[in-house]
């Protein structure tokens, strides 16, 4: 078996391991966990490896991959999925019953175990929230080899000390230690450090009558941000994504139909009753009011249109990764979010500081509806990489002082552990460590993820 593919994730972070196990049954998962516990061997759970924080990358010990747990059973309002099932397969199976999985993280080759593990968000989290909210039940194997099913409504059976939550609409930083904590809410977002999910029961939502989707172009980012605030409360608007002028610049060679004078774009989706319920006219009016490019924006109702726009957005993420790779330095990207009222301030701050320091070496795009745009910086020398790292720290401090989060949807993993300490007090981090010790006393599972070992 090719072990090397389990030693990295999409962040480029690399590690090492002695063995990789690919079990086929829950009983085998239990045996592997119990053996690792008996031998005090660290055990890292691997999903599909699309993570951006090194969370699934082992530092020695064993890796357990759930990739053979691929079954998907669709019911009314829920799906039971093996942890290794891919998000795109879930979406496809759900679509056959005219249902869908709400949050829809952008990278659809992620696994169910991974999106639950990171409490992933996505383009539609603006309307539906992050993955955690959609978890109905989990089948989990603990480090002692025992297996359990926990379902929504079931509170944890131990005493813990709460930690504050940021004033954002999304958060994937550390354990969600809120009063009244339920098992599913603790495990979702625990990044493979508390248990091994073998299957998850996820909520499905009925497809609306139709979906209107569009890429709307603007002459400036200021106009686009004004539109975000004006449109945020449109009924059934389920997606509100942003791209800045540098993002459009990356896409232009592949998309000749991006208007020449566009400097920003919003990608929207709205649930509507039918194609002719008047929403097209309403959007024409809205575009006029916000000074958007009415004639050159793209709209569509079909699944093919939605897919075309999704690919447009996803191509951007892939191009950002390629640009960083070509430069030969790591991709520096943020997953920060601030309370909605600070959305514009953060954007202006990003632009001002990047304009001063790296004027043509960055892009800003992402989940503007959740005040969770990602900034990506492309250093071209070792010295620039060092300065970019400093700038990232400065951005993180700004975000935390604005009541935000250092990890809105990707988790902390191994590469962002220092940021956790900016966001939570030492006492709150100790409260999280106490939970970890309760469930994994020898600190074997996901060692080095979220906390130093
Ligand atoms: C181009 C691109 C776009 C992306 N867009 C988004 C986006 O819009 N929103 C978003 O949230 N993320 C996004 N991501 C990040 C990534 O897709 C998510 O973090 C995803 O949730 C990771 O899933 P995975 O299966 O690849 O997990 P991995 O990377 O393999 O693992 C992630 C974490 O989950 C844990 N884990 C995996 N399986 C299990 C299990 N069975 N039991 C317990 N723990 C487990 C791992 O131990 C690890 O801590 C993007 C990534 C890329 C490359």
């Amino acid at each position: 078996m090719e072990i090397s593919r389990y030693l990295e994730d999409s962040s480029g972070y690399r590690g090492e391991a002695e063995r990789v196990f690919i079990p086929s049954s829950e009983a085998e998962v239990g045996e592997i966990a119990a053996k690792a516990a008996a031998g005090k061997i660290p055990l890292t759970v691997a999903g599909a490896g699309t993570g951006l924080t090194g969370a699934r990358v082992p530092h020695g010990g064993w890796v357990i991959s759930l990739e053979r747990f691929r079954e998907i059973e669709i019911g009314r309002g829920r799906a039971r999925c093996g942890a290794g099932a891919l998000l795109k397969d879930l979406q496809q199976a759900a679509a056959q019953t005219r249902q869908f999985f709400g949050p829809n993280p952008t990278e659809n080759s992620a696994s169910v175990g991974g999106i639950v593990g990171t409490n992933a968000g996505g383009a539609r989290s603006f309307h539906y929230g992050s993955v955690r909210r959609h978890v109905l039940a989990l089948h989990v194997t603990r480090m002692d080899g025992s297996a359990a099913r926990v379902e929504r409504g079931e509170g944890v059976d131990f005493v813990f000390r709460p930690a504050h939550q940021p004033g954002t609409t999304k958060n994937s930083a550390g354990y969600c230690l809120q009063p009244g904590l339920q098992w599913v809410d603790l495990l979702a977002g625990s990044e493979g450090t508390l248990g091994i999910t073998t299957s998850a029961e996820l909520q499905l939502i009925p497809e609306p009558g139709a979906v209107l989707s569009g890429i709307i172009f603007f002459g400036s980012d200021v106009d686009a941000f004004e539109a975000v605030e004006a449109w945020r409360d449109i009924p059934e608007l389920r997606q509100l994504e942003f791209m800045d002028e540098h993002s459009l610049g990356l896409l232009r060679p592949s998309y000749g139909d991006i208007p020449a004078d566009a400097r920003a774009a919003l990608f929207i989706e709205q649930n509507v009753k039918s194609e002719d319920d008047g929403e097209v006219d309403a959007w024409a009016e809205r575009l006029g009011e916000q000074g958007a490019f009415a004639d050159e924006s793209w709209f569509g109702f079909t699944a093919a249109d939605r897919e075309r726009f999704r690919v447009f957005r996803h191509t951007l993420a892939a191009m950002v990764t390629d640009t960083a790779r070509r430069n030969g330095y790591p991709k520096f990207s943020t997953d920060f979010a601030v309370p909605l009222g600070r959305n514009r301030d953060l954007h202006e701050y990003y632009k001002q500081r990047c304009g001063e320091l790296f004027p043509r070496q960055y892009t800003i795009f992402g989940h503007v509806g959740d005040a969770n745009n990602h900034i990506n910086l492309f250093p071209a020398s070792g010295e620039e990489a060092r300065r970019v790292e400093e700038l990232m720290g400065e951005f993180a401090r700004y975000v935390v002082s604005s009541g935000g989060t250092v990890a809105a949807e990707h988790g902390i993993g191994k590469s962002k552990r220092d940021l956790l300490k900016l966001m939570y007090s030492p006492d709150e981090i100790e409260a999280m460590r106490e939970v970890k010790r309760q469930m994994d006393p020898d600190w074997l599972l996901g060692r080095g993820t979220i906390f130093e070992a």
Side-chain angles (χ1 to χ4, degrees):
M1 179 213 319
E2 182 54 69
I3 199 171
S4 63
R5 73 187 178 92
Y6 299 94
L7 304 182
E8 62 183 359
D9 69 1
S10 295
S11 68
Y13 191 97
R14 285 196 64 81
E16 71 285 327
E18 287 153 32
R19 289 185 70 175
V20 176
F21 293 86
I22 310 181
S24 308
S25 68
E26 196 177 69
E28 271 182 74
V29 173
E31 279 166 29
I32 294 161
K35 264 193 204 148
K40 303 246 187 299
I41 299 165
L43 184 63
T44 302
V45 193
T50 69
L52 296 172
T53 64
R56 77 131 194 195
V57 179
H59 280 308
W62 294 351
V63 171
I64 183 166
S65 166
L66 280 289
E67 67 202 61
R68 293 198 174 127
F69 290 61
R70 292 289 276 265
E71 72 285 357
I72 298 175
E73 283 167 37
I74 303 288
R76 199 44 50 206
R78 62 201 292 143
R80 185 173 186 280
C81 310
L86 302 185
L87 180 58
K88 60 183 162 201
D89 295 333
L90 165 62
Q91 291 292 29
Q92 205 171 20
Q96 283 167 8
T97 61
R98 291 204 47 78
Q99 302 183 90
F100 67 105
F101 178 61
N104 204 29
T106 319
E107 177 52 66
N108 65 14
S109 61
S111 70
V112 164
I115 62 168
V116 171
T118 54
N119 182 29
R124 296 183 196 142
S125 294
F126 164 65
H127 188 59
Y128 297 108
S130 301
V131 167
R132 178 182 282 135
R133 194 196 290 180
H134 300 264
V135 177
L136 301 174
L138 293 173
H139 288 250
V140 179
T141 299
R142 292 178 56 158
M143 218 32 229
D144 62 5
S146 63
R149 177 179 186 278
V150 289
E151 60 179 33
R152 182 147 298 285
E154 229 177 289
V156 298
D157 57 0
F158 55 82
V159 176
F160 67 93
R161 296 184 294 133
H164 86 280
Q165 292 295 303
T168 50
T169 55
K170 295 155 83 177
N171 182 33
S172 285
Y175 300 155
C176 170
L177 298 186
Q178 286 181 301
L181 180 64
Q182 299 181 15
W183 275 114
V184 288
D185 293 332
L186 172 63
L187 293 165
S190 64
E191 302 189 54
T193 60
L194 297 179
I196 305 163
T197 303
T198 49
S199 67
E201 292 167 38
L202 303 174
Q203 184 185 24
L204 296 181
I205 298 169
E207 281 283 6
V211 178
L212 176 59
S213 51
I215 307 267
I216 302 169
F217 295 101
F218 295 83
S220 76
D221 55 349
V222 174
D223 287 350
F225 267 75
E226 273 175 16
V228 167
E229 294 320 315
W231 296 346
R232 158 178 307 293
D233 296 326
I234 293 173
E236 290 301 313
L237 188 67
R238 68 181 195 181
Q239 181 169 301
L240 199 43
E241 297 271 294
F242 172 80
M243 298 176 203
D244 76 341
E245 63 171 308
H246 301 291
S247 305
L248 295 181
L250 275 185
L251 286 164
R252 275 199 164 92
S254 318
Y255 290 88
D257 45 352
I258 296 175
D261 41 359
R263 295 289 173 271
L266 292 179
F267 175 14
I268 60 109
E269 279 186 8
Q270 185 188 12
N271 298 332
V272 291
K273 287 197 188 76
S274 69
E275 291 188 18
D276 41 28
D277 75 349
E279 270 305 318
V280 172
D281 294 343
W283 277 103
E285 211 167 289
R286 286 175 194 132
L287 263 58
E289 282 164 7
Q290 297 302 324
F293 293 8
D295 296 333
E296 294 160 291
S297 293
W298 311 337
F299 280 94
F301 273 113
T302 64
D305 292 324
R306 275 204 299 288
E307 180 57 13
R308 189 160 56 91
F309 299 159
R310 188 196 69 79
V311 169
F312 180 75
R313 161 71 171 80
H314 194 66
T315 301
L316 174 58
M319 287 180 123
V320 161
T321 306
D322 277 358
T323 307
R325 232 174 242 150
R326 269 202 313 275
N327 282 359
Y329 290 92
K331 181 175 74 141
F332 288 90
S333 58
T334 66
D335 177 30
F336 304 148
V338 286
L340 297 182
R342 302 299 306 272
N343 205 0
R344 270 191 251 202
D345 299 343
L346 178 63
H347 181 69
E348 289 306 323
Y349 188 65
Y350 279 160
K351 256 185 29 177
Q352 184 207 323
R353 294 297 285 140
C354 291
E356 286 163 7
L357 298 171
F358 303 99
R360 276 174 298 279
Q361 289 164 263
Y362 73 96
T363 60
I364 304 176
F365 65 90
H367 315 303
V368 73
D370 281 310
N372 173 215
N373 273 335
H374 304 297
I375 184 159
N376 300 275
L377 279 134
F378 311 113
S381 68
E383 169 55 18
E384 282 188 358
R386 192 192 57 72
R387 286 196 290 128
V388 164
E389 211 164 338
E390 272 174 26
L391 186 61
M392 289 300 198
E394 179 187 318
F395 288 153
R397 287 189 293 279
Y398 179 92
V399 160
V400 170
S401 70
S402 307
T405 172
V406 295
E409 56 176 18
H410 299 160
I412 292 292
K414 299 192 174 69
S415 59
K416 297 185 176 169
R417 282 184 315 222
D418 284 347
L419 299 183
L420 193 76
K421 295 176 202 155
L422 284 180
M423 190 171 154
Y424 298 104
S425 69
D427 201 42
E428 287 176 314
I429 294 180
E430 185 48 33
M432 293 180 194
R433 293 176 72 98
E434 283 165 12
V435 171
K436 168 74 176 160
R437 275 193 289 271
Q438 293 239 22
M439 297 189 60
D440 177 18
D442 292 315
W443 214 274
L444 298 174
L445 205 49
R447 186 178 276 187
T449 289
I450 306 180
F451 318 102
E452 277 96 12

